[in-house]
């Protein structure tokens, strides 16, 4: 949950709490307030290491009114706790069983704390509880069956709550007749096949759960679902069995399962108001049905990493609200239809890794909102389209790697001032590298806007936090770095001639520059050292000559360097970060180069022994490894991979927000007699 979202929620929930209290107080015994204080103090005492700021230790102090304690909300007239919200307070410890004595509690949020131990079974005493959020804690043990007694519970979030494989039984749900949002991960469900749940959910998310391999019947019975996410749960049904048949479904999110079979021909009748269709990483085959085009509400469609074949239907141009389309890594062939220009809301277009041919249609110039175009790894041919530079002025990422484009790089590309990633590698491009590449201001460091690098704000939910989430599974601490790495220029493996324009050295934001495997001549630009962000520089397999500019040693972040197989001569510069790149293969194939790390000594004794600061080298060495990992995440796997997962989290977060939001909103309208 983002800070912003949290703020909205708090606003609504605290508003809500005031009102609910009025309703609740009338029927309540009034002498239990000291018990509430005892319970809170018991909860505090189970927090072993208090939060870094010691908030509870200093704020929850005896002798002060517990209703003013941080995270505590009491009803207005009587000192009974109605809400306990300790979201992300850095708490560590267990949940005290006395929590079950806070009998007026309606909202309990302990999410994003490093809790351990199990959920106390006294929780089942909180019969007024409506919202329970234990997500991102680290609980263990069984979930108490008393959970099933919370007959007023509407919102249950135990996403990323349990470390071990905890089991859920029917009894856990026995009396949850008001449950409307259920978010769980990493649990095993042991339910009878014919179990009839007591609830009708509106939002359901099951992530990495064992639900028995088939699309569960109890899910089919949820006739009011608006959001359904079943991710990484090994469902191997056919798609028509797995597609949820609810007219109110707006988001269907079933990535990373083993779903088979074609997309049903009547999908638009099954899911008429869908906004989000996410079927990434399954075994779906067959062709794309025209029926998809009839879901006019579609905004996000991700069908990547399946076995889809056939052509892109001409009718896709009817999807005027479509913002994100990803068909990557299928077996789709044929051309991109002219009608694509009708899908003018498109911001993200991923067609990479298919068998598409022909030119990009000129009509695509109508899609002026495009931020990301990835058509890499196909068989597109012809000249690079000039119109991209004239119309697609919002482009951040243009990736046409591994196609059969020929002709010169059009100068119009230089008008794409927001471009951060340009990958033209592995084509048949001729002519020179345009000098005007130096004008690509998106590749220049802007010290003010470090976070501005992304093709931002897909639906307003694209932010650094999403990346933190994504990367948690892989490399937690890299979250903020990955955005840096999206500044990249790659024209390798073409037939480019001429010199490296010195103007390229203006691109101080580039983290990667690859000009290798071309026919470039002349010298390495003297001011190459100005490209301060450079982490990976590859100029190998050209005909570059002259000496290596000494400024190369100013590239203090460089971790990958390849100058091999050119005609470079003279002494290899030394110093700083370069000193750590001591693999001779970096320079091999340049017979006239000399000096370390090559075995060939330089003739003149002009070498001042360079003092290597071991400490610095070692420290920087550590970073190198990190950055290499990062680079490989972004570059080798294709930066597209970064985007893959994100949308899922976005969708998930969005729904989470929505759920909270709606929960609060609903309460308000109910309490105001709406
Ligand atoms: C306090 O509440 C309890 C029940 O929780 C009740 O038995 C008792 O009579 C009450 N005491 C007073 C003084 O109201
Ligand atoms: C606890 O924090 C709340 C909110 O910041 C404040 O109003 C209250 O006075 C604090 N109480 C103590 C004892 O520090
Ligand atoms: C508080 O909770 C404990 C443990 O659940 C229980 O033994 C005790 O009776 C409760 N106290 C009151 C006053 O309800
Ligand atoms: C979480 O708490 C456990 C002990 O309960 C501790 O070993 C672990 O280091 C903590 N993790 C974090 C991230 O604070
Ligand atoms: C509260 O929960 C405990 C443990 O589940 C139970 O023994 C006790 O009877 C419950 N108290 C009330 C008042 O329901
Ligand atoms: C379920 O709730 C109803 C009232 O809401 C109550 O009468 C019933 O005893 C509860 N059943 C269980 C198993 O908690
Ligand atoms: C998928 O779920 C399995 C457990 O069912 C888990 O081990 C694995 O890490 C999950 N994969 C992802 C990508 O979340
Ligand atoms: C679908 O949504 C509409 C409008 O929100 C609502 O009136 C209707 O009851 C819902 N239908 C189902 C089956 O939940
Ligand atoms: C879609 O088609 C399948 C069979 O092809 C049929 O069973 C199902 O009822 C149809 N659904 C709708 C909503 O038309
Ligand atoms: C592309 O098509 C060729 C034949 O036309 C086929 O051999 C190849 O497997 C296809 N590649 C993919 C990725 O579908
Ligand atoms: C081009 O986009 C506009 C909206 O910007 C849309 O109204 C128009 O129909 C599109 N033209 C074509 C040929 O698709
Ligand atoms: C690239 O162009 C050369 C001739 O200029 C041609 O022989 C080769 O087949 C082309 N390669 C591709 C992948 O189109």
């Amino acid at each position: 949950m983002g800070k912003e979202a949290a703020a909205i929620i708090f606003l609504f929930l605290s508003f809500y709490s005031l009102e609910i209290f009025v309703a609740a107080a009338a029927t309540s015994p009034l002498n239990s307030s000291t018990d509430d204080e005892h319970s809170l103090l018991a909860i505090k005492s189970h927090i072993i290491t208090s939060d870094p700021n010691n908030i509870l230790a200093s704020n929850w102090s005896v002798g002060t009114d517990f209703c003013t304690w941080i995270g505590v909300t009491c009803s207005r007239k009587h000192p009974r706790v109605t809400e306990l919200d300790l979201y992300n307070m850095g708490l560590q410890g267990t949940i005290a069983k006395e929590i079950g004595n806070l009998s007026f509690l309606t909202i309990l949020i302990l999410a994003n704390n490093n809790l351990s131990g199990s959920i106390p079974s006294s929780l089942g005493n909180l019969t007024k509880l409506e919202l329970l959020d234990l997500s991102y804690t680290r609980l263990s043990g069984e979930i108490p069956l008393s959970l099933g007694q919370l007959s007023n519970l509407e919102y249950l979030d135990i996403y990323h709550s349990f470390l071990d494989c905890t089991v859920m039984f029917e009894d856990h749900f026995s009396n949850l007749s008001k449950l409307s949002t259920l978010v769980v991960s990493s649990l095993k469900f042991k339910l009878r096949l014919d179990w009839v749940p007591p609830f009708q959910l509106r939002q359901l998310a099951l992530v990495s759960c064992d639900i028995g391999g088939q699309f569960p019947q109890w899910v089919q019975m949820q006739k009011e679902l608006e959001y359904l996410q079943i991710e990484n749960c090994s469902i191997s049904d056919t798609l028509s069995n797995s597609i949820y048949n609810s007219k109110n479904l707006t988001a269907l999110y079933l990535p990373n399962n083993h779903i088979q079979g074609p997309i049903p021909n009547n999908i638009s009748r099954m899911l008429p108001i869908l906004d989000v269709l996410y079927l990434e990483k399954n075994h779906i085959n067959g062709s794309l049905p025209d029926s998809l085009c009839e879901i006019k509400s579609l905004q996000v469609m991700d069908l990547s990493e399946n076995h889809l074949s056939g052509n892109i239907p001409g009718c896709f141009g009817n999807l005027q609200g479509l913002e994100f389309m990803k068909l990557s890594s299928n077996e789709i062939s044929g051309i991109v239809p002219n009608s694509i220009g009708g899908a003018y809301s498109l911001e993200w277009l991923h067609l990479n890794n298919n068998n598409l041919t022909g030119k990009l249609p000129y009509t695509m110039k109508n899609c002026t909102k495009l931020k990301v175009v990835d058509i890499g790894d196909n068989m597109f041919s012809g000249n690079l389209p000039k119109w991209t530079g004239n119309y697609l002025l919002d482009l951040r990422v243009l990736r046409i790697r591994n196609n059969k484009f020929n002709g010169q790089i059009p100068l119009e590309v230089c008008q794409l001032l927001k471009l951060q990633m340009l990958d033209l590698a592995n084509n048949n491009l001729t002519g020179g590298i345009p000098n005007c590449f130096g004008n690509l201001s998106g590749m220049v460091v802007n010290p003010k806007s470090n976070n501005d690098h992304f093709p931002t704000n897909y639906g307003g939910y694209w932010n650094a936090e999403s990346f933190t989430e994504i990367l948690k599974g892989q490399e937690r601490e890299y979250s903020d770095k990955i955005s840096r790495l999206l500044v990249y220029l790659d024209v390798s493996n073409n037939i480019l001639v001429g010199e490296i324009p010195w103007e390229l050295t203006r691109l101080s934001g580039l983290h990667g520059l690859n000009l290798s495997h071309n026919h470039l001549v002349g010298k390495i630009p003297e001011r190459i050292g100005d490209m301060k962000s450079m982490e990976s520089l590859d100029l190998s397999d050209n005909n570059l000559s002259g000496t290596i500019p000494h400024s190369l040693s100013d590239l203090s972040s460089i971790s990958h360097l390849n100058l091999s197989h050119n005609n470079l001569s003279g002494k290899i510069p030394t110093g700083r970060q370069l000193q750590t790149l001591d693999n001779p293969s970096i320079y091999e194939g340049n017979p006239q180069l000399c000096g370390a790390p090559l075995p060939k000594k330089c003739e003149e004794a002009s070498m001042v022994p360079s003092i290597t600061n071991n400490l610095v080298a070692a420290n920087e060495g550590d970073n190198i490894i990190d950055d290499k990992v990062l680079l490989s995440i972004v570059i080798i796997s294709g930066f597209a991979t970064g985007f893959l997962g994100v949308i899922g989290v976005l969708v998930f977060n969005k729904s989470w927000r929505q759920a909270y939001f709606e929960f609060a909103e609903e309460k308000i309208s109910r309490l105001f007699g709406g």
Side-chain angles (χ1 to χ4, degrees):
M1 181 166 59
K3 278 182 199 131
E4 206 181 293
I8 295 170
I9 289 156
F10 290 149
L11 196 80
F12 271 84
L13 292 192
S14 38
F15 186 35
Y16 158 50
S17 69
L18 292 180
E19 299 310 318
I20 207 164
F21 173 62
V22 178
T27 58
S28 69
L30 306 182
N31 72 352
S32 303
S33 60
T34 52
D35 295 341
D36 276 6
E37 180 168 5
H38 288 148
S39 304
L40 290 173
L41 290 172
I43 290 165
K44 177 183 162 185
S45 72
H46 280 70
I47 306 297
I48 23 176
T49 323
S50 208
D51 49 294
N53 306 323
N54 233 9
I55 294 174
L56 291 199
S58 61
N59 189 273
W60 286 26
S61 67
V62 185
T64 60
D65 178 7
F66 66 84
C67 290
T68 67
W69 292 355
I70 280 171
V72 176
T73 305
C74 290
S75 44
R76 194 162 45 187
K77 287 188 184 161
H78 307 291
R80 296 302 312 271
V81 178
T82 56
E83 285 174 32
L84 186 56
D85 180 354
L86 302 178
Y87 175 81
N88 199 20
M89 304 254 289
L91 307 179
Q92 192 169 318
T94 58
I95 306 176
K97 63 182 186 319
E98 284 82 357
I99 203 160
N101 290 359
L102 296 172
S103 52
F104 270 62
L105 213 52
T106 57
I107 292 177
L108 177 56
I109 301 173
L110 301 176
N112 287 49
N113 286 296
N114 184 9
L115 300 175
S116 54
S118 55
I119 301 178
S121 69
S122 61
L123 198 81
N125 293 0
L126 299 175
T127 50
K128 291 188 196 298
L129 202 61
E130 299 178 12
L131 186 153
L132 177 58
D133 184 355
L134 299 175
S135 61
Y136 295 98
T137 51
R138 310 166 129 252
L139 300 167
S140 55
E142 304 289 306
I143 300 173
L145 294 178
S146 61
L147 184 77
Q149 296 165 21
L150 300 175
S151 53
N152 281 303
L153 198 63
E154 297 180 23
Y155 185 102
L156 175 60
D157 188 347
I158 44 175
Y159 187 74
H160 273 257
S161 302
F162 290 91
L163 295 175
D164 41 11
C165 191
T166 303
V167 182
M168 292 214 86
F169 301 99
E170 285 145 40
D171 285 353
H172 283 119
F173 302 106
S174 59
N175 233 0
L176 304 188
S177 56
K178 292 191 183 164
L179 199 63
S180 134
T181 300
L182 176 61
V183 182
V184 303
S185 66
S186 310
L187 298 184
K188 186 175 171 61
F189 282 73
K190 279 195 180 159
L191 306 168
R192 281 197 321 271
L193 282 181
D194 58 349
W195 176 57
V196 179
F199 45 71
Q200 283 293 331
L201 299 173
R202 286 169 60 189
Q203 278 111 0
L204 173 61
L206 304 170
V207 180
S208 301
C209 288
D210 177 355
I211 53 174
Q214 302 294 305
F215 195 72
Q217 214 164 37
W218 65 269
V219 178
Q220 300 270 13
M221 289 176 198
Q222 304 302 310
K223 296 297 179 200
E224 291 166 20
L225 270 186
E226 292 159 8
Y227 177 89
L228 175 61
Q229 174 176 13
I230 302 184
E231 176 175 0
N232 187 31
C233 295
S234 305
I235 300 180
S236 55
D237 256 332
T238 62
L239 188 57
S240 30
N241 280 344
S242 313
I243 281 196
Y244 184 73
N245 213 344
S246 161
K247 300 272 184 279
N248 276 6
L249 203 68
T250 56
L252 180 65
Y253 187 73
L254 304 173
N256 208 356
N257 286 292
H258 310 299
I259 295 172
Q260 315 161 26
I263 298 174
N265 282 329
N266 57 1
I267 187 166
S268 66
R269 259 176 289 146
M270 297 166 89
L271 305 167
I273 60 163
L274 209 61
D275 293 336
V276 176
L277 177 62
Y278 206 108
L279 302 172
E280 184 214 350
K281 291 188 184 157
N282 279 291
H283 306 306
I284 298 164
N285 57 19
S287 54
L288 296 161
D290 283 357
S291 179
L292 276 173
C293 315
E294 288 157 22
I295 311 179
K296 298 276 196 251
S297 48
L298 265 188
Q299 292 172 20
V300 175
M301 176 166 68
D302 189 341
L303 307 175
S304 61
E305 296 189 61
N306 280 291
H307 303 296
L308 293 164
S309 54
N311 298 343
I312 299 176
C315 66
F316 267 32
N318 298 348
L319 293 170
Q320 297 185 342
L322 196 63
E323 294 170 13
F324 181 102
M325 175 154 92
K326 185 159 183 177
L327 303 176
S328 315
S329 301
N330 280 289
E331 290 142 37
I332 298 168
S333 53
I335 57 165
V336 176
N338 281 332
S339 58
I340 192 88
Y344 56 81
S345 300
L346 273 177
E347 292 179 32
W348 314 63
L349 180 61
H350 300 262
L351 302 175
N352 53 300
N353 202 16
N354 280 291
N355 244 350
L356 294 164
T357 54
K359 292 184 164 197
L360 279 187
Y362 182 63
T363 54
M364 238 176 93
K365 73 179 176 33
N366 202 35
C367 303
T368 53
K369 294 180 182 169
L370 277 169
K371 293 183 165 71
V372 175
V373 172
D374 186 351
I375 57 164
D377 303 294
N378 279 292
M379 304 199 290
F380 286 108
S381 56
N383 290 337
L384 284 182
K386 290 187 166 124
W387 46 263
T388 52
N390 293 332
Y391 294 97
L392 305 186
L393 297 179
D394 227 11
L395 268 190
R396 293 349 193 241
V397 174
L398 180 58
R399 184 175 184 268
I400 68 159
R401 188 187 186 83
N402 277 330
N403 278 288
K404 299 187 172 184
F405 284 104
N406 53 31
Q408 304 200 1
I409 300 174
L411 300 184
E412 284 80 356
V413 169
C414 303
Q415 293 166 29
L416 300 173
L417 298 183
K418 295 183 179 171
L419 211 56
Q420 292 168 358
M421 184 128 197
L422 178 61
D423 189 344
L424 309 178
N426 294 4
N427 280 286
N428 239 353
L429 300 174
T430 53
I433 299 175
N435 297 347
C436 65
F437 269 10
N439 300 345
L440 292 169
S441 50
M443 299 183 179
V444 177
V445 163
N446 178 354
K448 278 185 199 154
S449 59
N450 255 348
N451 282 339
D452 228 25
H453 274 329
F454 263 131
T456 43
N457 288 334
Y458 171 72
Y461 298 111
W462 182 288
N463 57 30
E465 279 175 71
S466 309
F467 275 86
T468 318
E469 300 301 319
I470 285 291
L471 292 168
K472 260 183 187 164
Q474 310 172 2
E475 307 290 345
R476 189 183 281 244
E477 64 274 24
Y478 297 148
S479 54
D480 62 342
K481 289 191 187 172
I482 200 140
S483 57
R484 288 195 301 119
L485 284 162
L486 277 170
V487 188
Y488 198 74
L489 175 59
D490 191 343
V491 295
S492 63
N493 277 300
N494 281 291
I495 323 172
L496 298 174
V497 296
E499 301 197 358
I500 301 176
W502 67 266
E503 289 88 346
L504 281 189
T505 63
R506 286 184 191 151
L507 304 181
S508 54
L510 279 185
H511 300 108
L513 175 63
N514 192 344
L515 309 179
S516 69
H517 292 93
N518 279 295
H519 302 304
L520 300 174
V521 297
K523 301 181 74 172
I524 298 176
E526 207 56 48
R527 300 184 62 177
I528 190 97
D530 288 357
M531 303 170 86
K532 297 284 187 213
S533 309
M534 190 67 72
E535 295 174 21
S536 172
L537 175 64
D538 192 344
L539 306 178
S540 64
D541 285 275
N542 279 293
N543 292 318
L544 300 172
S545 55
T547 56
I548 301 176
H550 194 80
S551 79
L552 194 73
S553 64
D554 294 341
L555 299 179
S556 57
S557 304
I558 194 140
S559 60
H560 174 81
L561 177 66
N562 194 347
L563 303 180
S564 66
H565 302 287
N566 278 293
N567 245 331
L568 299 166
S569 57
K571 184 180 174 305
I572 295 170
T574 55
R576 299 199 232 173
Q577 189 70 8
L578 272 191
Q579 224 57 37
T580 65
L581 302 176
D582 53 5
N583 188 338
S585 68
I586 292 172
Y587 304 102
E588 77 184 5
N590 292 286
Q592 298 179 66
L593 275 182
C594 64
L598 291 178
K600 182 181 171 189
K601 295 228 161 61
C602 295
E603 277 166 16
E604 290 174 37
S606 64
M607 296 173 290
V608 184
S610 62
I611 302 153
T612 319
N613 183 332
N614 279 332
L615 190 63
V616 170
N619 284 341
E620 286 180 354
D622 288 344
N623 292 337
I624 291 165
I625 294 166
D626 293 356
D627 287 339
K628 268 185 181 159
V629 174
L630 270 178
L631 272 177
S632 58
I633 293 172
V634 175
I635 296 160
I636 296 174
S637 65
F639 44 93
T641 319
F643 300 139
L644 284 177
V646 174
I647 289 300
V649 175
L650 299 181
V651 170
F652 178 73
N653 279 349
K654 183 177 166 188
S655 116
W656 193 16
R657 278 184 180 200
Q658 256 173 7
Y660 261 121
F661 196 90
E662 284 168 10
F663 180 84
E665 213 170 25
E666 228 175 62
K667 290 297 128 5
I668 287 163
S669 62
R670 194 160 80 204
L671 290 160
F672 281 139

